[in-house]
Structure formats: structure tokens, C-alpha cells
Amino acid sequence: MRKVKRSIILLTVSAMIGVLSACGGSSNGNAGAGSPTASSTSSPEASPGGAAEKQVKISLFQSKVEIAEPLEALAEKYKEETGNEVEVWGSAGDAYATQLQAKLTAGEGPTVFSVATGEEAEKFKSYFADLSNEDYAKNIAPDMALKDGDKVVGVPYGVEGFGLVYNKSLVDPQQMTDLASFTQLLEKFKAEGKNGISLSQEAYFLIGHIMNTPFALQADPQDFIAKLNNGEVKMADTKEFQEFARFLEAIRANAENPLEVKYDTQMGDFAVGETAMVHQGNWSYGMLADFGDLGFDIGMTALPLSGNDKIAVGVASNWVVNAKASADQIKAANAFLNWMFTSETGKNAIVNEFKFIPAMTNIEAENLDPLSQAVYEATNSGETIPWAMNYFPQGIIVNDLAPAAQEFFLNKDMTGEQFLANLDAAWAKGAK
Amino acid sequence: MTTRKRKERAWYALFTLPLLIVFTTVVIIPFFIGIAYSFVSWDGIPANPKVFVGFANYADLLRDERFLTSAWRTIEFTVLALVLVNLLGLVFSLLVTSKLRGGNAARTMFFMPNLIGGLILGYIWQFIFTDAFKFIGEKTGMESVFFNWLIHPQFALYAMVIVFTWQMAGYTMVVYIAGIQGIPDELNEAAKVDGANLWHRLTKIIFPLLMPSFTICLFLTLSGAFKIFDVNLSLTKGGPNNATELFAMNIYNEIFGYGNYGLGQAKAIVFFVLVAAVTLTQVIITKKREVQF
């Protein structure tokens, strides 16, 4: 009996100590696991590259599902080459900004994370560390760096482009130059039992990207968005948007319902030749590559809205360093970014594994896949339209525009005018 | 003070203090901080200021149509789920306690879905409702029943009810089984001798004596259905067009989607008061009907 009693006391006391020490531990905030022990040891013998001093373990969180695996592989290689650890937290797709904010607010933010240029960067700017004096920041291509005032705060992933990715054996872009010919083409495919164009249910692939076109075709997209936010203009009264609604009507009438299509089914159907076109970007090539030899060539062309023949190109996302992390972690984060952007392994991974079109002067773009090649050529010739969607109010695509688009694609009776009115209403709600 | 008394107090403190500390730090303190947040306007970035706005958040949520729609949909969901879960739980428990062959195996299988997390369950059923249903519809020609339920505003809600029932019915079954086994056999046998048929035995003996189980099960399903989030997120994400955005998800979207921490917190407080009021009323009502034999 006494033995039992004693063990109960022991158990309770140890449980209490556990609770108390757990309370104390959480106040460390951003300091990641293992930081105190790892920082004190330095290993002079393990420095093949010269600069590889022992750094604390850092964490990394980013939005692109496509590079999740190669990024983890790169972190492994980094550990092999330098002995330093980077923990990759996976990626979250549409929910990225939400999860990032939750983590940052809880004081458990990653050391390195990604933000999109524009509203998203504006929102998180109080977390950005100044990178102006880092070596790798000097290699960023002109006008490509993410800046806060004069300070460089973010390094671009690379440039990306999106438009209509098409099957060259089925579609000739010359035959698709305006709404009438576009509709005709879709009708032709429908008659043949094929899907002419496929959007997919994810918020950006459903409406976010395709809606960029009418915005980008405005004389000054940023100014137009500002006026839209103030309610000075309406999409329903703007010519490009009226035509845009006609395009979506044509898609709804002649193609598979996008709400029944997921990104992977969208690309799968395209890869086997059942879908002629998908509205996607060069990032989707990674998925097509998984299917091996497609048996046809692919290309990227523009949504022929108001005679537009340019694809949309912009900076995909930027790497930033969390200024709220400890000084040791910031140092380690810069060491990692420096390694990624200057070492042969890192540069190779960016071009060949991530399939990014680099926005750095010290990285050559070669052996690009066909979609990236199209984007690269468009960038070099200046035949591009901007990513106006980066200046949309924060979160509006997922929160407000996507539900409105879902309603449009579900309700066959809704006209394009009603849809534009709904979009205007959704915008007014999202912009306040 | 005698040594015995002191010892007793020490024991008392030893057992209650750890609990008290845990409860205070993870429930009481956050709860009061939450109430405080509901009076400010804040976007969730620590560097940005929190502005005191008084009851403006509460006034806003009453004008928020999306919130009110979501409230209505939650009630619809809860009523449907409550009825289905308890009906099925009761039927299952009666089935497996009657001396049927394979009763034990059936019991295990009915309970199994409860062991799978709501998120995974949602993804499994998402596949069934979208791909499997469409396939069955195309093969059998019954496309009016078997279509992609998740893109129909009303059927998407029914889909959630089905998944929730699938998850919870086995759990309530276990509670009902315990209740049924607590009823002495003599009562049933005496009734049988007196010529009572199955229906009479059910309504006059089993159900009244099962009241304590009803109290527990109704409470569990009621609060569980009101607070549902995981199935909502993985099965429909609130779509299509926010038609299945239930209470908890609406609060989540307000806070993390729109970054209105204050307004979202105000909604959460209203939500808490509502759930507490409804479940307490239910417990009081069903408690009154419990009988002793």
C-alpha cells in the first residue's frame, strides 16, 4: 500500500513539474528547437567550401506545392555539404497565407518563408529582415528584388508566366484570336467529345489567374484596382470585363464544369489528350513531366481577350527572412540563402529541380522545359502583361471571388452581367 | 490543526493543484483574453495597433449576412445530424444486444469509423461523393440521385450529415449498449410474461430506463454537431459558394481569411454562449425525464 502511495506522489509531482516547465518553455517564442545546443558548437574541420561554419537549425515554410519535394532534397544536400540543418515545413497551397499568419502570430514562425509580391508582402512587411548587405542580394536581376523603401527584403524565386497551355496537335493559336473564334473552337471540341478548355476548382486556377487578364489590359492596372477599391469604377461598366464575362460564358457552355475538376485531374486529362487547353502556368510542367512522353508538343499562348496575345509574367514569390527570429537564426538563414543562390548545387536545383526561370544575374537559364521556354522568351522580348492580381486586396481571390465564380459555374441561368455584378459586390466586400 | 487534517489538506492540494494550473492556463485565461479581443479591431499582425471599438464588432456580426446564413445552415445541419446519429445509434445498439449471430463483429464495425479522424474521413468521403457517385450515376443511369453531391449547395450539406453520422453513430451506440445492459433482465421477462409485445417493451420499459443514455448522447451529438470543423474543412471547405460554411468555419475564415481578429472573436463568443445555452437546456430537459426503477 505504501509503495502505491509513494509512486502516486512521485507521479503527481513529476506531472506538475512537467506542466510548469512546459509553461516556461513556450516563452522562447521564435527560437526553434535545438537552437541553444547547436549554436555553441563550431566545427572547423567540416568546411570544404570555406564558408561552412556551423549554424543553428532553421525552419523554412513556403507556398509552392510543386517544389516541396525537391526543396526537401535540397535541404538534405545542404546538410551533407555544410553540416547545417534546414527543416522544411511542407507547403500549403491555397491556405498558405492563412497558415503563415497563424504561425507568425503564435510566435512560432519559420525562419525563412515566402511571400508573393504586392498585397501579401505589404501585409507581412513588419516581419522582413533587411537583406541589402547580403552577398546573394547583389545578384538579383534589375527591378526584380522585393523592396521595402530602399532596403532589399526579399529575393525572387524566379519569374513565372501563365496563360493557355495548349496541345499543339489539337490547337493552333492562330485560329483563336478573339471571342468568336475562341467560342467556335470550344464548340468544335465539344462536338468531338473532347474538353476544349479546362479550369480547375482551386481558387487561383478557377478565377484568380484567368481574371488577371482584364485587369492587366487596363492602361494602369494598379490605378484601376485602387479605383475599384474606392468604388469609383465598376467591373460591370468596363469593356474588358464585359468581354471577359462572355469568355466565361463560353467556357461554362462548352467545357466541363471546373468545380468537378481538380488540379491533378486537369493536368491528367490534358496529358492524355482529352483536354485541348488548360489555363495554367509554367509550374504545371512538373506534373506533365510525371506522365513521361506525352506524344504531342505543348505551348503557351494568351487568352485572346480584346485581342490580347501576351502571356502574364511576374515574380512568382520571394524568399524573405523572419526579422523576429534570433540573430543566430537570421545569420543561419542568410547562410542558407547564400548557399542556395551561389553554390553549384543550389543553382542547379533552382533551374533543374524547381524548374524556375531564374531572376538572378549569376544563374544561367538553360535546358528549360517548353512552358518555361515560352515564358523566358516572352520575358526577353517584353511581350508580356503584368500580374495585376498581386495588387488585389489581400485574400480576396480565395475569400470572395472564388465563391462568386463557383456560383456562376453552378447556376447555368446566371448571365455574364449578373456575374459581373456579383464580382463587383464581392470586391466591395473584400476591399473594405 | 492535527497532523491528520494537515495531511488531508496536503493530499487535496496535491491532486487538485496540477489540474487547476492546467485548467487556468489553457481554458480560463485564454477565454478572458478572448473576450477582451472581441472589443478591439485588429488584423492579427502583432506590430499593428489594436483599436478599442466597444460593441461595434457585435453590432457588425448581426449585420453580417454570411454569418447569419452560416448560423441557419449550422442549425439545419445540427437538427439533421442529431436525429440521424441517435436513431442509428439506437438501432445499432438494439441490433447488437439482441442475440443475433455476429453481434460482436457488427459492434466493432459500427464503432470503427469513430477511430478515424474527421479530416481523413472527410477526404475519403470526398472521393466517394465526387468520383464514386458520378461513376455509379453514369453506369446505372440514376443520375438524379448519384451525381457529384459536393457541388450542389443543399446536397453538400446532406453529404456532411452523412459523414458526421457515419462517424458518430458508432460512438452513441456504445453509450446506448451500456444503458441497455444496465436494464435488469427481470423487467423485460416479467413484461413478456404479462403479454407485452416488442413495441410495448421498447416504449414502456427500455426507453424510459435509457433516459440517462439519451441525456449523454444528445449532449454529445448536439455540441459535436454545433462545433464541427474538421469534416467541414476536408469535405467541402465551406463550398460551393459558402453554402456549407458552418459556424466554426465562418469564424475561422473571418479571423484567418479576412484577418478580422476582433470580429471573429466576437463571433466566437456569441457561438460559445449559443452552444452553452442550447446544450444546457437540452441536459436540463432530458435530466427531468430520467426515471428510477
Side-chain angles (χ1 to χ4, degrees), chain B residues 42-84:
Chain B
W42 182 43
D43 65 357
I45 308 274
N48 296 346
K50 305 180 182 73
V51 185
F52 181 79
V53 293
F55 282 93
N57 286 331
Y58 290 93
D60 279 349
L61 74 86
L62 289 179
R63 282 195 299 267
D64 183 348
E65 259 173 56
R66 186 161 155 187
F67 181 65
L68 298 178
T69 323
S70 135
W72 174 242
R73 302 293 278 176
T74 311
I75 293 169
E76 205 177 334
F77 170 78
T78 306
V79 171
L80 286 172
L82 192 73
V83 173
L84 259 183

Side-chain angles (χ1 to χ4, degrees), chain A residues 5 8-9 12-13 15-16 19-20 23 94-95 97-99 101-102 104-105 123-124 126-127 201-202 256-257 259-260 262 324 394-395 399-400 402-404 406-407 410 429-430, chain B residues 7 11 13-15 17-18 21-22 25 42-48 64 66 126-127 130-131 134 148 151-153 237-242 252-253 255-261:
Chain A
K5 242 185 193 173
I8 288 176
I9 297 180
T12 329
V13 171
M16 237 166 124
V19 169
L20 290 175
C23 293
D94 269 0
T98 319
Q99 291 194 10
Q101 183 174 5
L104 288 171
T105 313
K123 179 173 176 185
F124 291 110
S126 58
Y127 287 98
Q201 60 180 220
E202 293 80 7
E256 195 178 350
N257 186 346
L259 299 183
E260 305 224 34
K262 290 197 191 102
K324 301 280 195 297
Q394 169 67 31
N399 291 332
D400 305 288
Q406 286 169 356
E407 199 184 354
L410 285 179
K429 229 173 117 213
Chain B
K7 227 173 160 187
W11 274 110
L14 192 60
F15 280 108
L17 267 181
I21 292 173
V22 173
T25 46
W42 182 43
D43 65 357
I45 308 274
N48 296 346
D64 183 348
R66 186 161 155 187
Q126 190 183 46
F127 169 75
T130 51
D131 298 346
K134 222 173 130 189
N148 185 348
I151 62 167
H152 188 287
K237 270 195 197 147
N241 189 19
N242 299 333
Y252 176 85
N253 285 339
I255 294 183
F256 295 107
Y258 287 103
N260 295 330
Y261 275 51

